[in-house]
Amino acid sequence: SEITELKIIGSIDSVDIITLRALPNLETLDIGDTDLERIPKDAFSCMDKQLPLMSIVLPKSLKEIGMSAFANSKLTGTLTIPESVTTIEANAFVYCDNLTGDLIIPEGVVTIGIGAFQGCSGFTGTLTIPESVTTIGYMAFWKCSGFTGDLIIPKGVTIGNYAFQDCSNCFTGDLTISEGVTIGDYAFENCSGFTGRLTISEGVTIGRGAFYGCSGFTGLTISEGVTIGDLAFYGCSGFTGTLTIPESVTTIVNGAFEGCSGFTGTLTIPEGVTTIGRGAFSGCSGFTGTLTIPESVTTIEYGAFRDCSGFSGNLTIPEEVTTIEAYAFHGCSGFTGDLVIPENVTTIEAYAFHGCSGFTGDLVIPENVTTIEAYAFHGCSGFTGDLVIPENVTTIEAYAFHGCSGFTGD
């Protein structure tokens, strides 16, 4: 019971681990020269009983670190994982918040389990993930807020939902997502510490809200063959420069770039896109230059370009567009020239062009339009010339043209 330090050489098994766990004052344990291949489940877990163990040398023969093996333990300093390890199971080091320094996952590890390092907020160095890893589990590094430097995700990795969520004060450089990676929902949400470039390589699948609130990134590169989920880059307000959507994209999904107000150049939407989703670019007020919507687009959904006030020049909406939903261009005050609504549109929805005060020419409403909803052109004070309402229009709702003071005809 008086033992505080212990080194074991030779053969040990799970029964010996139970004995070691029972030593009430054991602070330092060296089992590096034993033949143990697996640290059993809950071996040194402090979830139900606080243990004094603060330092351990793991076996050179170790292959698996079992579920909750060191959960909530007092382990301090640098964690050295032997090169023989292939699996780090669920919650293996959960809430080991006294670990510091770098965390190097050795080459050979295939699986980093669910919550493996969840809440390990004490790490102060870099995180290295080897090429051998194929799976990073759900919440594996959740709230590991101390990591610094760049992070590279190797090729073909599947990243579970929330894997790096709320690592809010860590990772201070670039994030590179290699080819063929699948990123789970909200995997990097609120990882606001990144200050460099986010590079998405070919064939990556980006889950819902994957980079939600990652406001520190300063650049974005998206390669071909990438699939982008709803809200993928929501609130990434630090991105600067131009945004080029890959040619492989056919739908710009809901909220994909909403709130990315830092972009300062042009927006290029490729031919082949058919739908621009709800709020896709809402609040992207920094875009400048002309907005070119390709001929392939048929639907511009609710708030797609809401408050994108930096666009200038003419707005050309392709003839193939059949639906312009509410708030689609609300607050886009920089557009100038004429506004021509495509022939296939039947309803101009509420607030669709509300506050687009920069238009300086004619407003052309096609014959197929039957309904102009409330506030559709409210505040579009720059229109000049005649306002011609087609004969098929049966409904003009409240304030549809309120504040359109520039019309000069009958």
Side-chain angles (χ1 to χ4, degrees), residues 228-265:
I228 302 173
D230 289 354
L231 305 170
F233 301 98
Y234 182 103
C236 292
S237 56
F239 290 135
T240 59
T242 60
L243 174 60
T244 301
I245 308 296
E247 293 184 1
S248 54
V249 171
T250 57
T251 299
I252 301 173
V253 294
N254 299 341
F257 298 93
E258 186 168 351
C260 294
S261 57
F263 286 117
T264 53

Side-chain angles (χ1 to χ4, degrees), residues 278-302:
R278 295 172 63 90
F281 300 99
S282 179
C284 293
S285 57
F287 285 124
T288 58
T290 302
L291 171 61
T292 302
I293 301 173
E295 294 292 332
S296 54
V297 171
T298 59
T299 302
I300 301 171
E301 293 188 354
Y302 181 101

Side-chain angles (χ1 to χ4, degrees), residues 72-286:
N72 203 35
S73 75
K74 289 184 176 180
L75 289 178
T76 61
T78 302
L79 175 63
T80 302
I81 300 173
E83 294 183 0
S84 55
V85 170
T86 59
T87 302
I88 302 170
E89 292 186 2
N91 300 320
F93 297 93
V94 64
Y95 296 122
C96 291
D97 54 8
N98 291 317
L99 293 171
T100 59
D102 299 334
L103 175 58
I104 300 174
I105 309 295
E107 189 67 46
V109 170
V110 175
T111 301
I112 301 172
I114 293 170
F117 296 94
Q118 177 180 332
C120 293
S121 57
F123 287 117
T124 53
T126 58
L127 170 62
T128 301
I129 299 174
E131 295 287 339
S132 57
V133 168
T134 61
T135 303
I136 299 173
Y138 171 91
M139 296 181 76
F141 296 96
W142 183 80
K143 286 199 173 181
C144 290
S145 55
F147 289 121
T148 60
D150 301 337
L151 177 62
I152 299 173
I153 305 296
K155 294 179 181 179
V157 173
T158 297
I159 303 173
N161 297 347
Y162 312 103
F164 295 89
Q165 186 187 46
D166 288 337
C167 292
S168 55
N169 296 314
C170 66
F171 301 122
T172 53
D174 300 332
L175 173 58
T176 301
I177 309 294
S178 302
E179 292 88 343
V181 169
T182 298
I183 305 171
D185 294 348
Y186 300 97
F188 293 92
E189 182 184 8
N190 294 330
C191 289
S192 56
F194 285 111
T195 56
R197 190 164 197 85
L198 172 58
T199 301
I200 312 291
S201 303
E202 292 183 7
V204 170
T205 299
I206 304 172
R208 179 183 177 87
F211 300 99
Y212 191 111
C214 293
S215 57
F217 287 120
T218 55
L220 174 64
T221 300
I222 306 176
S223 301
E224 290 297 329
V226 170
T227 301
I228 302 173
D230 289 354
L231 305 170
F233 301 98
Y234 182 103
C236 292
S237 56
F239 290 135
T240 59
T242 60
L243 174 60
T244 301
I245 308 296
E247 293 184 1
S248 54
V249 171
T250 57
T251 299
I252 301 173
V253 294
N254 299 341
F257 298 93
E258 186 168 351
C260 294
S261 57
F263 286 117
T264 53
T266 57
L267 169 62
T268 302
I269 301 173
E271 191 67 45
V273 169
T274 58
T275 301
I276 301 173
R278 295 172 63 90
F281 300 99
S282 179
C284 293
S285 57

Side-chain angles (χ1 to χ4, degrees), residues 338-361:
D338 300 335
L339 174 59
V340 178
I341 307 298
E343 289 289 338
N344 293 318
V345 171
T346 58
T347 299
I348 302 171
E349 295 191 10
Y351 294 88
F353 297 94
H354 180 277
C356 293
S357 57
F359 288 118
T360 54

